[in-house]
mmCIF file of all heavy atoms in Angstrom:
data_model
loop_
_atom_site.group_PDB
_atom_site.id
_atom_site.type_symbol
_atom_site.label_atom_id
_atom_site.label_comp_id
_atom_site.label_asym_id
_atom_site.label_seq_id
_atom_site.Cartn_x
_atom_site.Cartn_y
_atom_site.Cartn_z
ATOM 1 N N LEU A 1 193.383 165.690 93.709
ATOM 2 C CA LEU A 1 192.923 166.141 92.397
ATOM 3 C C LEU A 1 193.979 166.936 91.648
ATOM 4 O O LEU A 1 193.773 167.297 90.485
ATOM 5 C CB LEU A 1 191.664 167.012 92.564
ATOM 6 C CG LEU A 1 190.429 166.287 93.101
ATOM 7 C CD1 LEU A 1 189.304 167.278 93.361
ATOM 8 C CD2 LEU A 1 189.974 165.209 92.127
ATOM 9 N N TYR A 2 195.101 167.201 92.315
ATOM 10 C CA TYR A 2 196.146 168.003 91.677
ATOM 11 C C TYR A 2 196.752 167.231 90.513
ATOM 12 O O TYR A 2 197.326 166.160 90.680
ATOM 13 C CB TYR A 2 197.226 168.351 92.697
ATOM 14 C CG TYR A 2 198.369 169.157 92.137
ATOM 15 C CD1 TYR A 2 198.182 170.465 91.720
ATOM 16 C CD2 TYR A 2 199.647 168.608 92.027
ATOM 17 C CE1 TYR A 2 199.231 171.213 91.208
ATOM 18 C CE2 TYR A 2 200.700 169.345 91.514
ATOM 19 C CZ TYR A 2 200.481 170.643 91.111
ATOM 20 O OH TYR A 2 201.529 171.371 90.593
ATOM 21 N N ALA A 3 196.583 167.751 89.310
ATOM 22 C CA ALA A 3 197.094 167.097 88.099
ATOM 23 C C ALA A 3 197.557 168.174 87.132
ATOM 24 O O ALA A 3 196.834 168.550 86.208
ATOM 25 C CB ALA A 3 196.015 166.218 87.464
ATOM 26 N N PRO A 4 198.758 168.701 87.347
ATOM 27 C CA PRO A 4 199.230 169.788 86.486
ATOM 28 C C PRO A 4 199.366 169.338 85.041
ATOM 29 O O PRO A 4 199.874 168.251 84.762
ATOM 30 C CB PRO A 4 200.591 170.154 87.088
ATOM 31 C CG PRO A 4 201.032 168.919 87.818
ATOM 32 C CD PRO A 4 199.770 168.291 88.337
ATOM 33 N N GLY A 5 198.890 170.152 84.153
ATOM 34 C CA GLY A 5 199.018 169.856 82.730
ATOM 35 C C GLY A 5 200.282 170.464 82.182
ATOM 36 O O GLY A 5 201.039 171.139 82.865
ATOM 37 N N HIS A 6 200.539 170.195 80.917
ATOM 38 C CA HIS A 6 201.699 170.750 80.234
ATOM 39 C C HIS A 6 201.205 171.467 78.990
ATOM 40 O O HIS A 6 201.343 170.988 77.868
ATOM 41 C CB HIS A 6 202.696 169.649 79.871
ATOM 42 C CG HIS A 6 203.218 168.916 81.070
ATOM 43 N ND1 HIS A 6 204.224 169.432 81.853
ATOM 44 C CD2 HIS A 6 202.854 167.733 81.628
ATOM 45 C CE1 HIS A 6 204.484 168.576 82.840
ATOM 46 N NE2 HIS A 6 203.669 167.550 82.718
ATOM 47 N N ALA A 7 200.584 172.607 79.217
ATOM 48 C CA ALA A 7 199.996 173.353 78.110
ATOM 49 C C ALA A 7 201.077 173.856 77.171
ATOM 50 O O ALA A 7 202.152 174.273 77.595
ATOM 51 C CB ALA A 7 199.194 174.534 78.648
ATOM 52 N N GLY A 8 200.803 173.772 75.889
ATOM 53 C CA GLY A 8 201.751 174.271 74.908
ATOM 54 C C GLY A 8 201.767 175.786 74.897
ATOM 55 O O GLY A 8 200.938 176.457 75.494
ATOM 56 N N ILE A 9 202.740 176.321 74.201
ATOM 57 C CA ILE A 9 202.884 177.772 74.112
ATOM 58 C C ILE A 9 201.909 178.305 73.079
ATOM 59 O O ILE A 9 201.909 177.872 71.929
ATOM 60 C CB ILE A 9 204.327 178.140 73.729
ATOM 61 C CG1 ILE A 9 205.288 177.658 74.808
ATOM 62 C CG2 ILE A 9 204.461 179.635 73.508
ATOM 63 C CD1 ILE A 9 206.740 177.814 74.420
ATOM 64 N N GLU A 10 201.076 179.242 73.501
ATOM 65 C CA GLU A 10 200.127 179.870 72.586
ATOM 66 C C GLU A 10 200.685 181.228 72.189
ATOM 67 O O GLU A 10 200.616 182.194 72.939
ATOM 68 C CB GLU A 10 198.762 180.015 73.266
ATOM 69 C CG GLU A 10 198.146 178.677 73.668
ATOM 70 C CD GLU A 10 196.821 178.840 74.385
ATOM 71 O OE1 GLU A 10 196.399 180.012 74.550
ATOM 72 O OE2 GLU A 10 196.227 177.835 74.784
ATOM 73 N N SER A 11 201.259 181.278 70.995
ATOM 74 C CA SER A 11 201.908 182.505 70.549
ATOM 75 C C SER A 11 201.845 182.586 69.033
ATOM 76 O O SER A 11 201.979 181.576 68.335
ATOM 77 C CB SER A 11 203.374 182.533 71.006
ATOM 78 O OG SER A 11 204.056 183.644 70.452
ATOM 79 N N ILE A 12 201.653 183.798 68.529
ATOM 80 C CA ILE A 12 201.659 184.000 67.087
ATOM 81 C C ILE A 12 203.086 184.140 66.556
ATOM 82 O O ILE A 12 203.297 184.247 65.350
ATOM 83 C CB ILE A 12 200.840 185.246 66.695
ATOM 84 C CG1 ILE A 12 201.489 186.526 67.252
ATOM 85 C CG2 ILE A 12 199.407 185.119 67.165
ATOM 86 C CD1 ILE A 12 200.833 187.795 66.778
ATOM 87 N N LEU A 13 204.079 184.117 67.465
ATOM 88 C CA LEU A 13 205.467 184.342 67.067
ATOM 89 C C LEU A 13 206.228 183.049 66.804
ATOM 90 O O LEU A 13 207.451 183.076 66.662
ATOM 91 C CB LEU A 13 206.202 185.139 68.153
ATOM 92 C CG LEU A 13 205.635 186.510 68.494
ATOM 93 C CD1 LEU A 13 206.470 187.174 69.581
ATOM 94 C CD2 LEU A 13 205.598 187.395 67.260
ATOM 95 N N ASP A 14 205.543 181.916 66.764
ATOM 96 C CA ASP A 14 206.208 180.620 66.581
ATOM 97 C C ASP A 14 207.284 180.422 67.647
ATOM 98 O O ASP A 14 208.423 180.053 67.363
ATOM 99 C CB ASP A 14 206.819 180.521 65.179
ATOM 100 C CG ASP A 14 207.300 179.095 64.861
ATOM 101 O OD1 ASP A 14 206.734 178.145 65.431
ATOM 102 O OD2 ASP A 14 208.248 178.957 64.060
ATOM 103 N N ALA A 15 206.907 180.714 68.892
ATOM 104 C CA ALA A 15 207.855 180.634 70.001
ATOM 105 C C ALA A 15 208.079 179.186 70.411
ATOM 106 O O ALA A 15 207.201 178.332 70.272
ATOM 107 C CB ALA A 15 207.337 181.439 71.187
ATOM 108 N N LYS A 16 209.274 178.929 70.941
ATOM 109 C CA LYS A 16 209.652 177.607 71.430
ATOM 110 C C LYS A 16 209.921 177.691 72.934
ATOM 111 O O LYS A 16 210.277 178.746 73.456
ATOM 112 C CB LYS A 16 210.905 177.107 70.715
ATOM 113 C CG LYS A 16 210.785 177.022 69.197
ATOM 114 C CD LYS A 16 209.789 175.950 68.769
ATOM 115 C CE LYS A 16 209.823 175.706 67.271
ATOM 116 N NZ LYS A 16 209.455 176.890 66.476
ATOM 117 N N PRO A 17 209.757 176.566 73.652
ATOM 118 C CA PRO A 17 210.035 176.586 75.091
ATOM 119 C C PRO A 17 211.501 176.891 75.367
ATOM 120 O O PRO A 17 212.391 176.435 74.643
ATOM 121 C CB PRO A 17 209.665 175.165 75.550
ATOM 122 C CG PRO A 17 208.794 174.617 74.480
ATOM 123 C CD PRO A 17 209.234 175.254 73.208
ATOM 124 N N PHE A 18 211.748 177.641 76.434
ATOM 125 C CA PHE A 18 213.120 177.998 76.791
ATOM 126 C C PHE A 18 213.821 176.839 77.484
ATOM 127 O O PHE A 18 213.262 176.140 78.326
ATOM 128 C CB PHE A 18 213.126 179.206 77.738
ATOM 129 C CG PHE A 18 214.475 179.438 78.375
ATOM 130 C CD1 PHE A 18 215.453 180.142 77.701
ATOM 131 C CD2 PHE A 18 214.760 178.923 79.635
ATOM 132 C CE1 PHE A 18 216.704 180.339 78.277
ATOM 133 C CE2 PHE A 18 216.004 179.115 80.217
ATOM 134 C CZ PHE A 18 216.972 179.827 79.536
ATOM 135 N N SER A 19 215.058 176.642 77.116
ATOM 136 C CA SER A 19 216.025 175.846 77.863
ATOM 137 C C SER A 19 217.385 176.412 77.486
ATOM 138 O O SER A 19 217.536 177.065 76.444
ATOM 139 C CB SER A 19 215.950 174.353 77.516
ATOM 140 O OG SER A 19 216.408 174.125 76.190
ATOM 141 N N GLU A 20 218.379 176.178 78.313
ATOM 142 C CA GLU A 20 219.701 176.714 77.992
ATOM 143 C C GLU A 20 220.265 176.055 76.736
ATOM 144 O O GLU A 20 221.019 176.683 75.984
ATOM 145 C CB GLU A 20 220.640 176.542 79.185
ATOM 146 C CG GLU A 20 220.202 177.388 80.383
ATOM 147 C CD GLU A 20 221.309 177.598 81.389
ATOM 148 O OE1 GLU A 20 222.403 178.034 80.988
ATOM 149 O OE2 GLU A 20 221.079 177.309 82.570
ATOM 150 N N GLU A 21 219.905 174.780 76.495
ATOM 151 C CA GLU A 21 220.330 174.124 75.258
ATOM 152 C C GLU A 21 219.673 174.777 74.052
ATOM 153 O O GLU A 21 220.328 175.034 73.032
ATOM 154 C CB GLU A 21 219.987 172.632 75.294
ATOM 155 C CG GLU A 21 220.731 171.838 76.343
ATOM 156 C CD GLU A 21 220.028 171.844 77.680
ATOM 157 O OE1 GLU A 21 219.105 172.679 77.879
ATOM 158 O OE2 GLU A 21 220.401 171.024 78.540
ATOM 159 N N ALA A 22 218.358 175.082 74.169
ATOM 160 C CA ALA A 22 217.656 175.734 73.057
ATOM 161 C C ALA A 22 218.230 177.124 72.801
ATOM 162 O O ALA A 22 218.357 177.550 71.644
ATOM 163 C CB ALA A 22 216.161 175.822 73.367
ATOM 164 N N LEU A 23 218.598 177.837 73.872
ATOM 165 C CA LEU A 23 219.179 179.168 73.709
ATOM 166 C C LEU A 23 220.531 179.087 73.008
ATOM 167 O O LEU A 23 220.820 179.875 72.094
ATOM 168 C CB LEU A 23 219.322 179.839 75.075
ATOM 169 C CG LEU A 23 220.008 181.213 75.079
ATOM 170 C CD1 LEU A 23 219.266 182.196 74.185
ATOM 171 C CD2 LEU A 23 220.116 181.755 76.503
ATOM 172 N N ALA A 24 221.374 178.136 73.428
ATOM 173 C CA ALA A 24 222.684 177.987 72.789
ATOM 174 C C ALA A 24 222.535 177.648 71.312
ATOM 175 O O ALA A 24 223.253 178.177 70.459
ATOM 176 C CB ALA A 24 223.492 176.911 73.515
ATOM 177 N N LYS A 25 221.591 176.769 71.002
ATOM 178 C CA LYS A 25 221.363 176.384 69.598
ATOM 179 C C LYS A 25 220.861 177.573 68.793
ATOM 180 O O LYS A 25 221.292 177.802 67.646
ATOM 181 C CB LYS A 25 220.356 175.233 69.539
ATOM 182 C CG LYS A 25 220.084 174.719 68.134
ATOM 183 C CD LYS A 25 219.102 173.558 68.160
ATOM 184 C CE LYS A 25 218.807 173.064 66.750
ATOM 185 N NZ LYS A 25 217.827 171.936 66.764
ATOM 186 N N ALA A 26 219.945 178.344 69.374
ATOM 187 C CA ALA A 26 219.405 179.495 68.659
ATOM 188 C C ALA A 26 220.486 180.545 68.410
ATOM 189 O O ALA A 26 220.581 181.114 67.318
ATOM 190 C CB ALA A 26 218.247 180.104 69.455
ATOM 191 N N ARG A 27 221.326 180.793 69.400
ATOM 192 C CA ARG A 27 222.385 181.786 69.230
ATOM 193 C C ARG A 27 223.428 181.321 68.222
ATOM 194 O O ARG A 27 223.998 182.129 67.489
ATOM 195 C CB ARG A 27 223.050 182.084 70.575
ATOM 196 C CG ARG A 27 222.122 182.734 71.593
ATOM 197 C CD ARG A 27 222.894 183.263 72.777
ATOM 198 N NE ARG A 27 223.752 184.377 72.376
ATOM 199 C CZ ARG A 27 224.653 184.938 73.177
ATOM 200 N NH1 ARG A 27 224.800 184.484 74.414
ATOM 201 N NH2 ARG A 27 225.390 185.939 72.758
ATOM 202 N N ALA A 28 223.694 180.003 68.188
ATOM 203 C CA ALA A 28 224.676 179.477 67.237
ATOM 204 C C ALA A 28 224.205 179.610 65.798
ATOM 205 O O ALA A 28 225.016 179.524 64.871
ATOM 206 C CB ALA A 28 224.968 178.014 67.556
#
């Protein structure tokens, strides 16, 4: 029965999922 979901980020800050590529793009 194990079926992990991929729940989105629930945030009022318009947050995005972390990845090192996303961090590099954000810092640039």
Side-chain angles (χ1 to χ4, degrees):
L1 294 174
Y2 179 68
H6 299 280
I9 298 172
E10 299 178 0
S11 173
I12 65 173
L13 301 180
D14 190 27
K16 302 293 189 298
F18 168 83
S19 69
E20 294 199 52
E21 295 87 346
L23 176 58
K25 182 179 179 181
R27 295 192 67 188

